[in-house]
């Protein structure tokens, strides 16, 4: 009877540990398949904020190098001459917040200066 009790306790402890890891991942504390947000959330950015750094998934890329990113809190249209950016890429964009010269359907507009894979 003692061996069965120890085995049951071991199994319960293992399940608790696995559940804790799964919970951290779902809360953004562990690895996940999502991209962003970074230090600054798109939903918190306003025109006039100056320089920002945003991390998000590319949702639309045009041939001229401009693209949209989504960090799960909002979308940003990035005006840049970015090469090799494809839909689904996870990128960090550093740039200036600008007023929209276009109606691209994004929450904020960024003049991208430095774009890196995240």
């Amino acid at each position: 009877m003692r061996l069965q009790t120890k085995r049951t306790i071991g199994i319960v402890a293992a399940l608790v540990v696995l559940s804790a890891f799964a919970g951290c991942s779902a809360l953004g504390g562990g690895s996940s398949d999502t991209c962003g947000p970074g230090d600054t959330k798109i939903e918190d950015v306003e025109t006039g904020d100056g320089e920002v750094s945003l991390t998000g998934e590319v949702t639309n890329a045009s041939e001229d190098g401009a693209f949209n990113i989504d960090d799960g809190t909002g979308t940003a249209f990035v005006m840049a001459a970015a090469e090799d950016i494809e839909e689904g890429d996870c990128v960090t964009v550093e740039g200036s917040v600008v007023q929209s010269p276009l109606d691209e359907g994004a929450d904020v507009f960024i003049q991208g200066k430095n774009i890196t894979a995240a």
Side-chain angles (χ1 to χ4, degrees):
M1 187 82 144
R2 285 199 146 172
L3 182 60
Q4 186 175 11
T5 301
K6 287 182 180 180
R7 188 177 305 159
T8 301
I9 291 172
I11 291 171
V12 169
L15 289 173
V16 168
V17 170
L18 289 173
S19 295
F21 283 127
C24 286
S25 186
L27 295 173
S31 63
S32 72
D33 293 335
T34 61
C35 175
D39 292 337
T40 303
K41 296 177 182 177
I42 291 174
E43 72 180 355
D44 295 336
V45 175
E46 296 181 18
T47 301
D49 278 351
E51 298 288 315
V52 295
S53 177
L54 305 172
T55 300
E57 181 178 340
V58 176
T59 57
N60 185 20
S62 66
E63 291 179 11
D64 64 359
F67 56 94
N68 290 67
I69 62 170
D70 187 332
D71 73 351
T73 70
T75 59
F77 179 75
V78 180
M79 296 172 285
E83 296 179 17
D84 301 325
I85 298 289
E86 297 179 3
E87 195 170 309
D89 288 350
C90 185
V91 297
T92 297
V93 176
E94 295 173 358
S96 302
V97 181
V98 296
Q99 282 193 311
S100 169
L102 309 167
D103 183 19
E104 291 294 327
D107 299 318
V108 296
F109 299 84
I110 306 296
Q111 180 63 53
K113 296 178 183 171
N114 188 24
I115 299 149
T116 56

